[in-house]
Amino acid sequence: MKKKQYDLNFKKMVVAKGKEIGNMTAVARQHDLDPKMVLRWARELNRKDLDELDGTSVKQSKFVPTAEDYAQLEKENEKLKKLYAEQALERDILKDLLKKTNPHLRIK
């Protein structure tokens, strides 16, 4: 199902009528609209984000990683691998120590 887009003038008219009556839900039903959508339009008009309301706002460009980003991620990955290996070794040492000091608490 395709999203239906409404122009800014229609949105302003619906919100103005809703404020005049004092009931956004009733106005939304008169125009066969979702009441939540009309309430969102009213909230956005109050914030004066008319670009967002009209749907003409500039969309952010998609992030394209560079070679520098990959190099940084590889460094971070190596650092995390080393940290994990150290923690695994420490855990194994502590298990062995626990087995030696408390033979009745054998961990399998």
Side-chain angles (χ1 to χ4, degrees):
M1 186 173 182
K2 190 175 178 186
K3 281 177 62 172
K4 193 170 185 181
Q5 291 194 356
Y6 300 96
D7 68 333
L8 183 58
N9 293 330
F10 177 74
K11 293 176 184 181
K12 285 180 179 179
M13 186 264 308
V14 170
V15 170
K17 193 184 284 188
K19 286 182 180 179
E20 181 182 318
I21 295 173
N23 190 347
M24 295 285 188
T25 305
V27 174
R29 288 186 183 139
Q30 285 176 355
H31 293 283
D32 294 325
L33 299 170
D34 183 19
K36 290 180 184 176
M37 184 170 56
V38 174
L39 291 170
R40 187 182 72 232
W41 291 349
R43 192 172 52 248
E44 288 173 352
L45 275 172
N46 285 338
R47 284 196 331 236
K48 308 243 186 308
D49 292 341
L50 299 180
D51 292 343
E52 288 180 18
L53 190 62
D54 195 22
T56 59
S57 63
V58 179
K59 293 184 179 179
Q60 289 184 342
S61 61
K62 195 173 185 180
F63 174 71
V64 178
T66 62
E68 188 177 296
D69 294 328
Y70 283 120
Q72 183 181 1
L73 286 173
E74 285 178 7
K75 285 180 185 177
E76 185 179 357
N77 193 19
E78 289 300 318
K79 183 179 173 183
L80 290 172
K81 283 181 182 179
K82 287 178 184 177
L83 181 64
Y84 177 76
E86 287 174 5
Q87 288 178 347
L89 181 63
E90 185 177 318
R91 187 182 67 239
D92 290 340
I93 291 171
L94 289 173
K95 279 184 181 179
D96 289 342
L97 183 62
L98 184 63
K99 286 179 188 177
K100 289 179 183 177
T101 57
N102 298 316
H104 63 281
L105 295 177
R106 292 224 178 241
I107 300 174
K108 296 181 181 181

